Amino acid sequence: MQDLHYESNDLGLTYGGNACRFKVWAPTASQVEVVLYEDAGEYDQYGMVHNHEGGLAFLMNPGKKGTWSLELEGDHTGKYYMYRVSFSDGTVNYAVDPYAKAVAAGGARTAIIDMKKTNPEDWEDDVRPPQIRPTDAIIYELHVRDFSINGDNLFQQKGLYRAFTEEGLTDQDGNLVGIDHLVELGITHVHLMPVFDFKTVNELTVHDPSVADGKYNWGYDPQNFNVPEGSYSSDPTNPAARIIEFKQMVQALHRKGIRVIMDVVYNHTFGVDDGPFEGIVPGYFYRTNSEGYLTNGSGVGNELATERPMVRKYIKDSVRYWAEEYHIDGFRFDLMGLIDTRTMTEITNMLQQEIDRTILVYGEPWTGGDSPLWDKTLKGAQKGKGFAVFNDNYRSAVKGDNDGYASGFATGWWGVEGAVLKGVQGAIHDFTYHPSETINYVTAHDNLNLWDKIVTSLGMRHALSFPEWHNGSPSGGYTAQEAVTSADPYRFVEPDNMLSNDTVRRSLLANGIMITSQGIPFLHAGDEILRSKYGDHNSYRSGDAVNALRWSNKARFRPVFDYYCGLLRLRKEHVAFKMAHREQVERHLKVLSCGHGVVAYLLEGTEVKDSWNQILIIYNGKEQESRVDLPQDCVWNVVVNDRAAGVEVLDHVQGNVTIPRLSMMVLYDKESGVEPQILTSMDIRSPKKAIQCAEEVKLEVVFKDQHDKRIEGLQPQWRSSDPEKIIVRQTGKIIGTALGEGIITAVCGEVEASIRIIVDHLVPARIEVTGEPMMYATRHYPIQTTVRDQYNQVLPGQTVQLATTTPRIVSIDHSGKLLAIRPGKGVILVHCGSLTAEWNVQIHPFSIRTVEIEYERPDHHYDGWNVWVWGTGIHDGKIPFHPTSDGSVVAKVKVAPGMKRIGYIIRLNEWERREGDRDLFIEIPSTSGNERIKVKVKSGTREIMVAVGGRLMKLNGLSSA
């Protein structure tokens, strides 16, 4: 279906108040209809609709590249639709629109809504929090329901998107919870586990307290890729509710300075026959083996064929939609190994070049099973391509295996120090080109979480009364709630001395290593309050009893939380931990010790413009203290030890230092003296100084420091002196609303800048005409016309007409190109409304010159020898030799007028051999006429003669490269 690759961006429903336009790609269908419904259909006990008969059907029109389209007049808001797709074998399928933006509960039918009405108040002013480079990110992986479903009566909107909008929440001890907890912790990005519409939660009963089952899933079961999941909304039966509330969540996080990453699953769908694609284009969207059977690289029965053009287009369209419509700041790709590298590269380039260069892209560089895909995006495939991958090598080195008893550096195993060091260095000596390509983590939602892995490695599961779990249920006939109540994950943690507990120390060391390493740190939600899932290594459907964040842990383990806050503050305030390029790491990260349970290294802070001169980091994975000699005979300032972390000095040491068991230490020698950048000026840049009513223009601000150097990562506040004439959004977008003028001001701290913008009727005032400087008779030439308004700005969308007053010299063809008829002076007239411009051109004779390249070989063996030429303006490529009367051969090369230089190579056949080792060039004289140019080349020598019109010229008329 390569020739049926449809490139336009209008698939799906294009809503209008007076008409709706439907378009679907179904190249193998014999007929496609849009079927309209007044309601969502009749649901069964599982929240599904199976019967789609009874709707009002409208026949779609076949179009180009396998598309079908239909425009229905009228306002159809509030209705639902399906596609009814018929095939030549008699098969008829009902299918939800793959490009659906809104759906009924359970994703049963596509809903027709006005997306503009789903924007919360001030949505147009929503801006991405500032970020300079990927290594500035600190990612926090979180499940929407886990965040707020806990039984402690803290949230009004339990388990919902809107729980993120609840501010000022505290527990009974005054500890911040909810979104304010995230701000206090210091993370920069929330990574939301799947929030697109997935299949495995019954949206009709999810809020019914009398129903216990079908309420929880991680969400890696895609159904409708472009619609938010309904079970996290207050009313899944209202198609607009989930959209509005999702946007409110994003807006709330942005206002708190936190970016939002979506966990996306473009490697498989929950089902195939009842999925989003098979009913419309059977057999195209899924990979199959040589026998035609579905392949199972995902481990769940199918995998999307991302390497096929229309599958790749679908994923790119979907990702772009989330970034633009929902202001998503990053994407984590599940089982990215099942997505071909070309697709991942194109997605990254599209997001970072066309939308926002700071959008994060990363994923899992592995598969869930064998796949026939040859271009898998595995570790190393990301090098230099702008996206990152999870570093499972580092994960295993620090903690050991995922679910078993094996240990790593922080859980009791020596001999992995070298692997830990590779991770510390941002994996640049492992699989990355730059440290920004590695996601450093010890645990995520999959497998045992950090606390449970540590106690498993230490053989403590039985002592803590952890049950064995199978498919979301504990063994022994207990319910999940009963098993959780019986377990005691923190039995051996003494409240008054918790930082001395070995399990606590190992958890702080494990994530402390990740936070202070080069690359992008990634935390699993709840690690900072010692979250446990009671030994459940695969809690994807284990329910709230296992998965919910227990906010009471914050007060219980406040010293642990404070330690995490200090580590994150250390990283955020010191650029030495966030080097962007491999060259920086290679030059300015010095290894001091790596072995016997200790890793120690030095960061040269001054060299990377850190405020500290040298920073020393030491990890001790042993159960005994370690003494480490300090690299210089000076006083070192301790800012992280086994009791506290941050940027404040805790102690002073000199000569050597003792690192307590199972802990880390960070020290610095002195302030670097690097002068911090201070904002002193701003410059507002606008593409236009005058706009029309309803026209939108984006303003940009350049921030400068005291040395007139640019400052990155700042964000201004915008205001308009007259909002009735010009509205300015906090994104920097201005909109003309009435004729007049206004002053737009950007403010950042105490510095501000202003620009005057005029709102006017913009009319054509001047026409610019440009074309080729030299034109020759009998040739066609394009003409470029630019219409400018009364403010000398380019005025797009104007219709111009071309004519000539010298039809014997020049003419204008149907495509608007100039045809030079004969030598002479021509006049072109350009009309735009009542405006006219005149353009005078000089047409020169089209005199073809001939360059003769004569070739002489002592052996007179010329079979297969030819000339390869370029830059002729007539015919580039292979030119054969013809024999001459004196025993040599000659090739005649035609050169168009205006050509100043041609290149050539004398070669044997198709590059079996060549004469000489350099490309040769002939400078064409600027004299007019059609005189012959002759070049003589003798094989095996550098003897070359050039003659023009019979006159021998000096050899400087020829050059080589």
Side-chain angles (χ1 to χ4, degrees):
M1 297 188 187
Q2 290 292 117
D3 58 338
L4 294 175
H5 180 196
Y6 183 73
E7 296 183 354
S8 298
N9 297 319
D10 58 351
L11 292 175
L13 167 65
T14 302
Y15 173 86
N18 299 318
C20 287
R21 293 184 294 278
F22 304 84
K23 183 173 285 189
V24 63
W25 186 72
T28 58
S30 59
Q31 177 177 290
V32 184
E33 298 161 277
V34 172
V35 184
L36 286 184
Y37 305 90
E38 296 296 327
D39 56 37
E42 184 176 342
Y43 287 88
D44 64 12
Q45 61 179 326
Y46 303 106
M48 309 305 296
V49 176
H50 301 284
N51 183 4
H52 296 290
E53 299 291 340
L56 187 60
F58 300 87
L59 189 64
M60 301 184 78
N61 303 306
K64 62 181 181 179
K65 301 289 186 178
T67 61
W68 299 77
S69 61
L70 172 69
E71 180 169 324
L72 285 180
E73 294 184 355
D75 185 0
H76 300 282
T77 303
K79 296 181 180 179
Y80 300 85
Y81 73 95
M82 299 282 281
Y83 290 126
R84 185 161 64 197
V85 188
S86 303
F87 299 91
S88 58
D89 65 355
T91 301
V92 178
N93 296 328
Y94 283 90
V96 172
D97 192 336
Y99 278 80
K101 298 175 183 177
V103 293
R109 290 175 179 171
T110 319
I112 301 176
I113 67 171
D114 182 356
M115 287 296 295
K116 292 181 180 179
K117 294 183 178 179
T118 65
N119 292 339
E121 185 178 358
D122 297 328
W123 181 244
E124 291 295 326
D125 290 318
D126 180 64
V127 294
R128 304 181 194 278
Q131 178 186 311
I132 300 174
R133 50 184 168 252
T135 50
D136 289 330
I138 301 170
I139 301 170
Y140 186 86
E141 184 193 41
L142 182 61
H143 185 277
V144 169
R145 187 175 174 93
D146 293 355
F147 181 65
S148 59
I149 199 63
N150 184 261
D152 301 337
N153 293 317
L154 300 173
F155 295 87
Q156 296 296 317
Q157 309 286 336
K158 289 186 177 184
L160 306 182
Y161 297 124
R162 291 202 307 207
F164 288 88
T165 68
E166 296 186 44
E167 301 181 49
L169 300 182
T170 62
D171 64 15
Q172 61 184 6
D173 297 310
N175 294 292
L176 296 173
V177 300
I179 193 170
D180 294 318
H181 167 88
L182 303 179
V183 175
E184 184 183 19
L185 178 59
I187 54 101
T188 65
H189 291 66
V190 162
H191 160 152
L192 295 174
M193 291 168 64
V195 285
F196 49 71
D197 184 46
F198 53 82
K199 190 78 169 181
T200 42
V201 169
N202 187 336
E203 294 181 357
L204 293 183
T205 61
V206 68
H207 300 325
D208 186 346
S210 66
V211 177
D213 298 328
K215 294 189 173 188
Y216 189 92
N217 202 281
W218 282 348
Y220 294 90
D221 306 309
Q223 179 67 9
N224 293 294
F225 283 97
N226 300 318
V227 184
E229 164 61 15
S231 65
Y232 303 144
S233 73
S234 60
D235 183 3
T237 64
N238 177 357
R242 64 182 74 192
I243 300 171
I244 296 169
E245 293 169 16
F246 187 103
K247 290 179 178 180
Q248 289 173 333
M249 172 186 65
V250 173
Q251 186 180 50
L253 287 162
H254 281 177
R255 286 174 173 171
K256 292 291 187 178
I258 298 173
R259 290 188 168 213
V260 181
I261 296 170
M262 273 187 69
D263 195 330
V264 290
V265 189
Y266 294 110
N267 63 80
H268 74 277
T269 57
F270 176 76
V272 175
D273 292 339
D274 60 347
F277 306 119
E278 191 70 6
I280 294 177
V281 195
Y284 180 78
F285 275 79
Y286 298 92
R287 287 193 191 109
T288 55
N289 59 21
S290 58
E291 298 177 346
Y293 293 105
L294 292 171
T295 54
N296 190 22
S298 65
V300 294
N302 66 82
E303 51 182 298
L304 291 183
T306 64
E307 69 278 13
R308 296 176 183 170
M310 288 302 289
V311 183
R312 177 181 294 128
K313 171 182 168 55
Y314 180 84
I315 298 172
K316 290 172 65 177
D317 288 348
S318 178
V319 168
R320 175 187 284 275
Y321 177 69
W322 284 105
E324 293 181 339
E325 179 68 29
Y326 290 93
H327 303 179
I328 296 299
D329 309 293
F331 297 88
R332 176 267 195 193
F333 286 80
D334 182 67
L335 295 184
M336 191 169 64
L338 291 177
I339 302 176
D340 61 288
T341 305
R342 174 181 170 182
T343 295
M344 283 307 310
T345 303
E346 289 189 13
I347 289 169
T348 304
N349 291 341
M350 174 193 71
L351 290 171
Q352 296 177 352
Q353 295 175 14
E354 299 177 22
I355 300 176
D356 191 302
R357 64 181 178 83
T358 63
I359 289 178
L360 275 184
V361 180
Y362 60 96
E364 296 178 311
W366 51 76
T367 68
D370 293 333
S371 170
L373 177 65
W374 67 272
D375 189 22
K376 297 181 181 70
T377 305
L378 307 177
K379 287 194 297 289
Q382 85 297 328
K383 284 186 176 180
K385 294 183 173 65
F387 61 91
V389 298
F390 281 96
N391 191 343
D392 56 331
N393 298 348
Y394 201 12
R395 174 198 70 192
S396 299
V398 172
K399 76 168 184 179
D401 63 8
N402 284 324
D403 299 325
Y405 295 93
S407 299
F409 181 85
T411 51
W413 186 256
W414 294 9
V416 292
E417 293 86 353
V420 171
L421 181 61
K422 284 184 178 180
V424 164
Q425 295 167 324
I428 61 171
H429 300 304
D430 191 355
F431 61 86
T432 69
Y433 188 74
H434 293 302
S436 57
E437 296 170 2
T438 173
I439 302 295
N440 298 330
Y441 76 115
V442 282
T443 49
H445 66 275
D446 277 323
N447 309 111
L448 291 174
N449 76 338
L450 181 55
W451 184 263
D452 294 353
K453 167 57 187 171
I454 294 172
V455 298
T456 299
S457 294
L458 299 178
M460 298 169 60
R461 291 177 65 98
H462 179 72
L464 302 180
S465 302
F466 280 2
E468 294 301 319
W469 295 84
H470 301 284
N471 296 321
S473 298
S475 59
Y478 299 102
T479 66
Q481 185 61 59
E482 289 170 341
V484 166
T485 302
S486 298
D488 187 0
Y490 317 110
R491 177 171 296 168
F492 303 110
V493 179
E494 297 178 9
D496 296 332
N497 196 23
M498 68 183 65
L499 294 183
S500 296
N501 178 273
D502 281 4
T503 309
V504 173
R505 295 171 78 88
R506 292 183 191 277
S507 68
L508 292 175
L509 175 60
N511 268 330
I513 291 172
M514 297 299 159
I515 293 169
T516 50
S517 294
Q518 303 300 321
I520 302 172
F522 174 103
L523 301 173
H524 183 219
D527 280 355
E528 75 281 8
I529 52 175
L530 303 185
R531 179 186 189 181
S532 173
K533 293 186 181 181
Y534 308 92
D536 190 346
H537 74 284
N538 191 22
S539 64
Y540 75 100
R541 61 176 184 179
S542 299
D544 301 328
V546 173
N547 288 290
L549 283 177
R550 285 166 169 77
W551 290 103
S552 58
N553 274 19
K554 184 169 184 179
R556 184 176 183 181
F557 302 120
R558 182 72 201 209
V560 174
F561 175 76
D562 290 340
Y563 198 96
Y564 271 92
C565 291
L567 287 174
L568 297 190
R569 181 183 175 193
L570 172 70
R571 181 178 181 89
K572 292 172 78 171
E573 293 187 12
H574 289 277
V575 70
F577 295 103
K578 304 180 288 186
M579 298 183 201
H581 304 290
R582 70 176 299 120
E583 296 81 9
Q584 293 176 306
V585 178
E586 289 171 339
R587 293 174 184 173
H588 307 305
L589 190 156
K590 307 297 183 183
V591 181
L592 303 181
S593 176
C594 184
H596 305 290
V598 175
V599 174
Y601 60 96
L602 191 71
L603 301 177
E604 296 179 333
T606 300
E607 301 301 322
V608 293
K609 301 192 182 307
D610 196 287
S611 61
W612 289 344
N613 179 47
Q614 294 190 101
I615 307 172
L616 177 60
I617 300 95
I618 307 169
Y619 309 131
N620 179 15
K622 297 188 298 185
E623 294 181 358
Q624 305 82 32
E625 65 183 28
S626 292
R627 183 175 295 274
V628 175
D629 291 332
L630 298 175
Q632 296 169 357
D633 187 18
C634 65
V635 175
W636 288 81
N637 304 289
V638 179
V639 293
V640 176
N641 58 23
D642 67 328
R643 315 305 296 180
V647 296
E648 306 299 331
V649 176
L650 305 172
D651 196 4
H652 302 284
V653 294
Q654 188 171 5
N656 58 65
V657 65
T658 298
I659 313 299
R661 74 185 197 286
L662 304 173
S663 71
M664 63 182 292
M665 186 171 286
V666 178
L667 316 87
Y668 74 94
D669 58 351
K670 61 182 180 180
E671 300 290 335
S672 66
V674 173
E675 185 181 6
Q677 286 187 298
I678 300 173
L679 178 64
T680 56
S681 66
M682 298 191 305
D683 178 29
I684 301 177
R685 298 182 178 179
S686 172
K688 304 182 72 174
K689 61 185 177 183
I691 61 175
Q692 305 193 74
C693 286
E695 184 178 0
E696 299 181 359
V697 170
K698 181 71 180 295
L699 305 181
E700 294 185 356
V701 176
V702 176
F703 302 91
K704 297 289 187 70
D705 67 8
Q706 65 272 34
H707 301 295
D708 203 37
K709 293 184 178 179
R710 292 187 68 147
I711 304 178
E712 302 291 344
L714 297 180
Q715 203 168 67
Q717 294 290 314
W718 295 91
R719 64 172 183 257
S720 170
S721 64
D722 192 347
E724 293 186 358
K725 294 184 173 63
I726 306 174
I727 295 172
V728 61
R729 302 295 186 190
Q730 292 309 307
T731 58
K733 182 171 69 176
I734 59 172
I735 308 166
T737 54
L739 298 182
E741 63 179 61
I743 303 298
I744 304 299
T745 302
V747 181
C748 187
E750 297 181 358
V751 180
E752 63 179 55
S754 298
I755 188 172
R756 174 174 170 264
I757 300 292
I758 301 168
V759 183
D760 200 353
H761 295 300
L762 303 183
V763 296
R766 183 166 63 89
I767 303 174
E768 294 177 354
V769 189
T770 56
E772 295 289 334
M774 295 288 288
M775 297 187 183
Y776 300 90
T778 74
R779 317 302 286 180
H780 283 85
Y781 297 95
I783 300 174
Q784 291 83 39
T785 59
T786 303
V787 179
R788 293 188 176 273
D789 62 23
Q790 65 269 40
Y791 299 97
N792 202 34
Q793 302 175 138
V794 174
L795 194 61
Q798 302 300 305
T799 301
V800 298
Q801 295 178 330
L802 303 177
T804 178
T805 60
T806 54
R808 293 173 54 83
I809 306 298
V810 294
S811 68
I812 305 298
D813 67 13
H814 67 281
S815 66
K817 288 186 176 181
L818 180 149
L819 171 60
I821 299 172
R822 56 169 53 89
K825 291 184 177 181
V827 178
I828 302 297
L829 297 179
V830 183
H831 302 284
C832 180
S834 60
L835 197 64
T836 300
E838 183 178 295
W839 187 46
N840 297 311
V841 296
Q842 180 68 48
I843 307 301
H844 302 275
F846 188 78
S847 301
I848 297 177
R849 299 186 182 211
T850 301
V851 175
E852 294 184 4
I853 301 176
E854 185 178 348
Y855 181 44
E856 181 179 323
R857 294 183 58 82
D859 58 9
H860 298 288
H861 292 164
Y862 296 109
D863 288 347
W865 286 91
N866 60 84
V867 180
W868 185 268
V869 299
W870 63 92
T872 66
I874 295 180
H875 174 75
D876 292 350
K878 180 179 178 180
I879 305 292
F881 279 121
H882 300 283
T884 65
S885 58
D886 60 1
S888 64
V889 291
V890 66
K892 295 184 178 182
V893 181
K894 302 296 184 182
V895 181
M899 298 295 103
K900 298 179 180 179
R901 189 191 203 203
I902 68 168
Y904 72 98
I905 298 171
I906 298 174
R907 63 177 191 163
L908 177 63
N909 295 319
E910 298 297 323
W911 304 105
E912 292 177 19
R913 289 169 55 194
R914 60 180 289 173
E915 186 66 54
D917 58 358
R918 297 176 294 175
D919 297 350
L920 299 172
F921 296 87
I922 301 171
E923 308 294 333
I924 306 299
S926 58
T927 56
S928 60
N930 58 356
E931 66 268 75
R932 186 177 62 178
I933 302 171
K934 189 170 185 179
V935 177
K936 187 170 185 179
V937 181
K938 288 189 176 182
S939 177
T941 73
R942 292 184 178 272
E943 183 178 345
I944 302 172
M945 293 182 294
V946 181
V948 178
R951 178 171 56 86
L952 187 66
M953 297 184 66
K954 293 182 180 180
L955 296 185
N956 61 11
L958 179 144
S959 62
S960 64

